[in-house]
Amino acid sequence: QQHGGEGAADFFRLDCILPNFAYSTALALYLKAGPSFNLKAVNIVSVADVLPSEKRCWDSNANQDPDVMATQPHAALMCAMLLFPGVLRSLLEVAGAKFDGPPPAGSPCSDTWNKLFSRRPFSACTEFRHCKHYLLHANLGDAYCRHAVHFW
């Protein structure tokens, strides 16, 4: 089946089809922000920022606008979590996160990781996987978690 029309290129971007690229894009944008990373910018991320699109990360004016630059790492991570929700649990496991423990001091969320994982999209991540390449995505996600955990 051929894909065409507006937005067709979005699904040929590696960060939209491979979990390791999706999470790496978020990490790269976070590292690019450096000391100017703004955790509070997560509050101004819009749905349009999160949806996979050419404009989201590749807009030529994005590096000029501080508000856009502040939201990019958050939006990319949200997109990765929506497209590949199962990878987040694996990444946290490898990083040694406590799933029943309280959130870190200063966190705006009071829920445990287990409580968050009991909700969508994480609770239904096996329902929303690629029908043909789900095993490839799982293996790529696991390999990424083992090899890239020290960057997170």
Side-chain angles (χ1 to χ4, degrees), residues 11-146:
F11 298 101
F12 296 104
R13 288 186 22 214
L14 292 177
D15 64 326
C16 293
I17 59 174
L18 297 171
N20 51 325
F21 277 85
Y23 282 86
S24 291
T25 298
L27 179 60
L29 290 168
Y30 165 76
L31 293 173
K32 179 182 174 186
S36 67
F37 177 75
N38 181 359
L39 185 57
K40 292 182 180 182
V42 73
N43 295 319
I44 59 171
V45 174
S46 70
V47 172
D49 294 332
V50 176
L51 293 177
S53 73
E54 285 299 312
K55 187 173 174 142
R56 180 170 60 89
C57 287
W58 309 120
D59 186 351
S60 61
N61 296 324
N63 290 330
Q64 312 277 324
D65 185 346
D67 288 337
V68 172
M69 289 179 66
T71 60
Q72 280 183 335
H74 302 291
L77 183 58
M78 289 177 191
C79 184
M81 291 188 306
L82 287 172
L83 292 174
F84 308 103
V87 175
L88 180 62
R89 179 184 272 288
S90 298
L91 188 58
L92 291 169
E93 283 174 355
V94 173
K98 306 277 188 245
F99 290 101
D100 284 326
S107 174
C109 183
S110 60
D111 294 337
T112 65
W113 281 114
N114 277 336
K115 189 167 184 175
L116 291 172
F117 285 129
S118 70
R119 298 183 191 137
R120 289 184 180 264
F122 306 107
S123 66
C125 68
T126 57
E127 295 174 33
F128 300 106
R129 62 184 185 193
H130 196 281
C131 62
K132 186 176 180 183
H133 301 297
Y134 65 89
L135 188 56
L136 172 69
H137 284 164
N139 288 337
L140 280 172
D142 287 343
Y144 174 77
C145 293
R146 284 193 315 274

